Each structure stands twice: as structure tokens, then as C-alpha cells.
């Protein structure tokens, strides 16, 4: 059987660790073993949000996809079954909607998740990116994938006070060089909420602007997606923020959420303005660098504005 220590599930004779959330946050383990059912209101919020996202993107002529990132526990269904535990995904028929993807069948859990983390390994992230690109009608880069060993301490290892381990980290594709410029709010705004990331990738495969809404799972794909899309803009939100999307005029929008967040889906029609995150004590504007400010001012000025065009010309010469 399993044990739980500091909200981490451990099995005998297995190095795999799992987030439990027994009595906290989304209580994902209770959902996965069927002790707790998803609230019908959360399912309806999800359906309404996806409907609004689809309608907005159709009206604006934007390619759209929503990704539900499969959780580690249902991905390791066989391991749990070996210990007489029948786990099932939170993702169900109610979530299987137009432009919604739940790519659990494409994952090889033993290599596509870190042993000591809730997130996908870099090998898993590459698999997910390939799936997303295929669903968007794109083509994967065929060049040899390059990795290097790096020290890594997963979020579950940190909970248990374990040592870091050496893991394969993605560093690029052979004979394919891009110059990536990254800007954002991380220096000036503490925490994840309200985060904005803007990447300009000179030499990317597609000369497109990709707008991402989601959590740490989609954010973790950005180093790979940099090789595919010339511009990537990220906001921490599980649904399209329409005023921001209109302002940024992307070619593609991907919204997303980790599977456990299906238990706590906000209603997009009642969302507060995203920039309220900057009216808190967590925000220290003096910590913004000149480069971050210039980049954010440029992209929010509009794709046809002289300010934006000057900024892109500057990056092209940098």
C-alpha cells in the first residue's frame, strides 16, 4: 500500500512521488479515487468558458485550442492498480468539447513525468508540444533534440527534504539556432498571479504570435515553443481574457489548465481585470528593468503601432 508524508504519496519499491492534496486545495487524490465527485457548477463553468473562448476566437479569426494537462496520478493508473487502487481522470465527457484536448494517451508516464515532481519532464514537454503542433496543423522540428544533464529538485522532493537529482534538460535542436529575447513582470511582481511573459524569437519556424493563457504547465512549454513561434505572450489565466487578446491581436491562442484545476474552475464571465494584480503590495514598479518596460509598452501599443515596429526592428538588429 502507499504512505503519505507531507501531502506526498509514496509507494514501496517505487521512486515515483505523487501530490496528494488530501485535505488541501483541489483535493485531487479524493477525486482520482472516486471519493469525491466534481461539482456540477465547476463542470458548467468549464463548458461556459470554452464556449466563450471558441466564440471569441471565431469572431476574431484566431486559431484556438484548449489543453487540459493530464495529472500524474491518472497517468500512472497501472502503478496504482498494482496497489488495489482504481484511479480515474477528472477529465470526463463534460469536458470533451470543441477544440479541447486531453492528451493522456500520448504520454509515456515513466519518462514523461519527473519522478519527484508534479510536472512533465522535458521529454514529456516535447511530446506535448508535438501533440499541440499536430492539432494546430503545424509540423514538428525534425532536427536532433539536444539535452544536457542538470541538477533538478522537484516540488515533491522539496516537500520531503530530498536531495536534487540529475535530469535531462532540453537545450535546443541540433544545427538550429534562434535568438530569444525574454521580458516580463517577474522582477516587479512577486508570485505567479498577474505574471506576464513576452518572448521574441528571431529565427523561429513560424512568423506567428502565440498567446498563451494557463498555469505553470503551459509556461513550462515556452522554452520549446520558442523554436516554433516568433512571438509568445503568456498570462496566468485558465481562459481567454478578451480585452487583452483584442489588444494583442495574436494569430493563435492556447488556453490551458492542469487537470486538478477542473475541481476549481472560475467563471470567465465574472473575471476581474487582470491588471488588478498590479494594485497590491506584491507589485514593486521600481524593480522593473528598462528593457521589460520597453517591451511591455511596445506589445500593448498594438502590432501596427510605430512604437511596436521600432521595438521589433531594434530586436532584429540586437
Amino acid at each position: 500500500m502507499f504512505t503519505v508524508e507531507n501531502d506526498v504519496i509514496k509507494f514501496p519499491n517505487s521512486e515515483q512521488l505523487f501530490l496528494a492534496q488530501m485535505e488541501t486545495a483541489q483535493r485531487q487524490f479524493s477525486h482520482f479515487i472516486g471519493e469525491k465527485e466534481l461539482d456540477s457548477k465547476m463542470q458548467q463553468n468549464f463548458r461556459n468558458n470554452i464556449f466563450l473562448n471558441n466564440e471569441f476566437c471565431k469572431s476574431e479569426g484566431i486559431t484556438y485550442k484548449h489543453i487540459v494537462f493530464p495529472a500524474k496520478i491518472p497517468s500512472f493508473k497501472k502503478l496504482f492498480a498494482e496497489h488495489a487502487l482504481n484511479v480515474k481522470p477528472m477529465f470526463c465527457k463534460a469536458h470533451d468539447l470543441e477544440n479541447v484536448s486531453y492528451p493522456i494517451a500520448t504520454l509515456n508516464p515513466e519518462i514523461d513525468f519527473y519522478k519527484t515532481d508534479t510536472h512533465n519532464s522535458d521529454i514529456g514537454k516535447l511530446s506535448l508540444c508535438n501533440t499541440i503542433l499536430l492539432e494546430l496543423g503545424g509540423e514538428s522540428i525534425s532536427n536532433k533534440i539536444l539535452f544536457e544533464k542538470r541538477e533538478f529538485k522537484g516540488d515533491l522532493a522539496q516537500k520531503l527534504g530530498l536531495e536534487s537529482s540529475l535530469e535531462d534538460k532540453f537545450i535546443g535542436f541540433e544545427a538550429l539556432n534562434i535568438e530569444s529575447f525574454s521580458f516580463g513582470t517577474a522582477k516587479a511582481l512577486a508570485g505567479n498571479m498577474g505574471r506576464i511573459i513576452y518572448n521574441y524569437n528571431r529565427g523561429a519556424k513560424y512568423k506567428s504570435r502565440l498567446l498563451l493563457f494557463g498555469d505553470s504547465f503551459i509556461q513550462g512549454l515556452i522554452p520549446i515553443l520558442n523554436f516554433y513561434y516568433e512571438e509568445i505572450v503568456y498570462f496566468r489565466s485558465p481562459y481567454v481574457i478578451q480585452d487583452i487578446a483584442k489588444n494583442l491581436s495574436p494569430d493563435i491562442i492556447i488556453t490551458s489548465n492542469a487537470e486538478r484545476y477542473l475541481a476549481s474552475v472560475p467563471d470567465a464571465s465574472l473575471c476581474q481585470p487582470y491588471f488588478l494584480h498590479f494594485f497590491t503590495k506584491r507589485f514593486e514598479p521600481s524593480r522593473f528593468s528598462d528593457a521589460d518596460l520597453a517591451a511591455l509598452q511596445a506589445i500593448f501599443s498594438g502590432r501596427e503601432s510605430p512604437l511596436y515596429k521600432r521595438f521589433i526592428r531594434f530586436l532584429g538588429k540586437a
Side-chain angles (χ1 to χ4, degrees), residues 50-67:
I50 296 300
F51 174 81
L52 291 173
N53 294 346
N54 274 314
E55 291 300 299
F56 171 80
C57 290
K58 288 175 184 176
S59 69
E60 298 292 322
I62 299 168
T63 300
Y64 173 64
K65 177 65 67 174
H66 182 91
I67 310 298

Side-chain angles (χ1 to χ4, degrees), residues 237 239-243 266-274:
S237 168
Y239 47 77
V240 174
I241 304 174
Q242 294 189 11
D243 57 342
D267 185 342
S269 66
L270 302 176
C271 69
Q272 294 183 323
Y274 192 77

Side-chain angles (χ1 to χ4, degrees), residues 134-308:
L134 182 64
E135 293 183 355
L136 291 173
E139 295 181 354
S140 299
I141 293 171
S142 59
N143 302 48
K144 180 181 177 181
I145 303 166
L146 303 177
F147 296 96
E148 69 177 22
K149 293 288 186 181
R150 293 182 185 173
E151 291 281 335
F152 176 78
K153 182 179 285 191
D155 52 9
L156 303 176
Q158 293 177 46
K159 281 178 169 287
L160 297 179
L162 302 179
E163 296 295 321
S164 58
S165 58
L166 283 176
E167 300 288 351
D168 287 323
K169 302 299 289 184
F170 169 81
I171 58 171
F173 296 93
E174 188 173 69
L176 184 59
N177 297 315
I178 64 166
E179 294 182 72
S180 185
F181 302 86
S182 187
F183 311 93
T185 60
K187 296 175 185 175
L189 186 65
N192 292 325
M193 303 308 296
R195 178 163 293 180
I196 303 171
I197 297 171
Y198 170 64
N199 284 7
Y200 177 78
N201 308 301
R202 190 165 62 194
K205 184 178 178 70
Y206 299 114
K207 304 300 181 183
S208 304
R209 175 177 283 184
L210 171 64
L211 178 55
L212 301 175
F213 294 100
D215 49 47
S216 58
F217 280 78
I218 195 75
Q219 184 182 337
L221 302 190
I222 292 176
I224 301 168
L225 294 173
N226 282 340
F227 284 83
Y228 287 94
Y229 298 102
E230 187 172 56
E231 292 184 280
I232 298 176
V233 194
Y234 164 84
F235 294 83
R236 189 176 175 92
S237 168
Y239 47 77
V240 174
I241 304 174
Q242 294 189 11
D243 57 342
I244 289 175
K246 281 186 177 181
N247 175 269
L248 293 175
S249 302
D251 303 294
I252 303 166
I253 290 178
I254 298 176
T255 55
S256 62
N257 62 273
E259 184 172 7
R260 67 176 181 265
Y261 291 127
L262 292 175
S264 55
V265 181
D267 185 342
S269 66
L270 302 176
C271 69
Q272 294 183 323
Y274 192 77
F275 293 101
L276 280 180
H277 293 292
F278 295 86
F279 293 88
T280 69
K281 292 181 179 179
R282 296 186 298 108
F283 179 53
E284 298 182 55
S286 62
R287 296 176 64 87
F288 263 129
S289 69
D290 291 342
D292 289 331
L293 279 174
L296 294 174
Q297 288 168 352
I299 64 168
F300 284 117
S301 70
R303 292 180 79 170
E304 297 302 317
S305 73
L307 176 61
Y308 168 75

Side-chain angles (χ1 to χ4, degrees), residues 5-226:
E5 179 183 341
N6 202 21
D7 218 22
V8 176
I9 297 171
K10 300 188 295 181
F11 288 102
N13 304 317
S14 174
E15 296 179 325
Q16 296 290 347
L17 303 176
F18 301 88
L19 178 65
Q21 293 187 316
M22 291 296 194
E23 299 295 336
T24 60
Q26 294 80 33
R27 296 183 62 189
Q28 67 165 3
F29 188 61
S30 295
H31 284 94
F32 289 135
I33 63 173
E35 286 184 353
K36 189 173 176 63
E37 295 294 326
L38 282 180
D39 190 316
S40 60
K41 174 61 176 173
M42 297 301 101
Q43 293 183 5
Q44 191 58 52
N45 282 353
F46 182 89
R47 296 177 68 85
N48 290 344
N49 293 352
I50 296 300
F51 174 81
L52 291 173
N53 294 346
N54 274 314
E55 291 300 299
F56 171 80
C57 290
K58 288 175 184 176
S59 69
E60 298 292 322
I62 299 168
T63 300
Y64 173 64
K65 177 65 67 174
H66 182 91
I67 310 298
V68 177
F69 283 84
K72 191 175 181 181
I73 289 175
S75 299
F76 277 87
K77 182 177 182 178
K78 289 183 179 179
L79 174 61
F80 281 83
E82 291 171 4
H83 296 270
L85 286 167
N86 180 30
V87 299
K88 61 179 182 178
M90 287 191 201
F91 187 90
C92 64
K93 187 176 180 180
H95 306 112
D96 191 10
L97 306 169
E98 179 185 7
N99 289 324
V100 173
S101 177
Y102 178 66
I104 194 166
T106 69
L107 294 175
N108 178 348
E110 291 290 345
I111 63 172
D112 288 346
F113 287 91
Y114 290 118
K115 290 182 174 66
T116 64
D117 199 275
T118 55
H119 294 83
N120 299 101
S121 65
D122 281 16
I123 295 172
K125 291 169 187 174
L126 283 157
S127 173
L128 288 164
C129 283
N130 288 341
T131 298
I132 292 168
L133 284 160
L134 182 64
E135 293 183 355
L136 291 173
E139 295 181 354
S140 299
I141 293 171
S142 59
N143 302 48
K144 180 181 177 181
I145 303 166
L146 303 177
F147 296 96
E148 69 177 22
K149 293 288 186 181
R150 293 182 185 173
E151 291 281 335
F152 176 78
K153 182 179 285 191
D155 52 9
L156 303 176
Q158 293 177 46
K159 281 178 169 287
L160 297 179
L162 302 179
E163 296 295 321
S164 58
S165 58
L166 283 176
E167 300 288 351
D168 287 323
K169 302 299 289 184
F170 169 81
I171 58 171
F173 296 93
E174 188 173 69
L176 184 59
N177 297 315
I178 64 166
E179 294 182 72
S180 185
F181 302 86
S182 187
F183 311 93
T185 60
K187 296 175 185 175
L189 186 65
N192 292 325
M193 303 308 296
R195 178 163 293 180
I196 303 171
I197 297 171
Y198 170 64
N199 284 7
Y200 177 78
N201 308 301
R202 190 165 62 194
K205 184 178 178 70
Y206 299 114
K207 304 300 181 183
S208 304
R209 175 177 283 184
L210 171 64
L211 178 55
L212 301 175
F213 294 100
D215 49 47
S216 58
F217 280 78
I218 195 75
Q219 184 182 337
L221 302 190
I222 292 176
I224 301 168
L225 294 173
N226 282 340

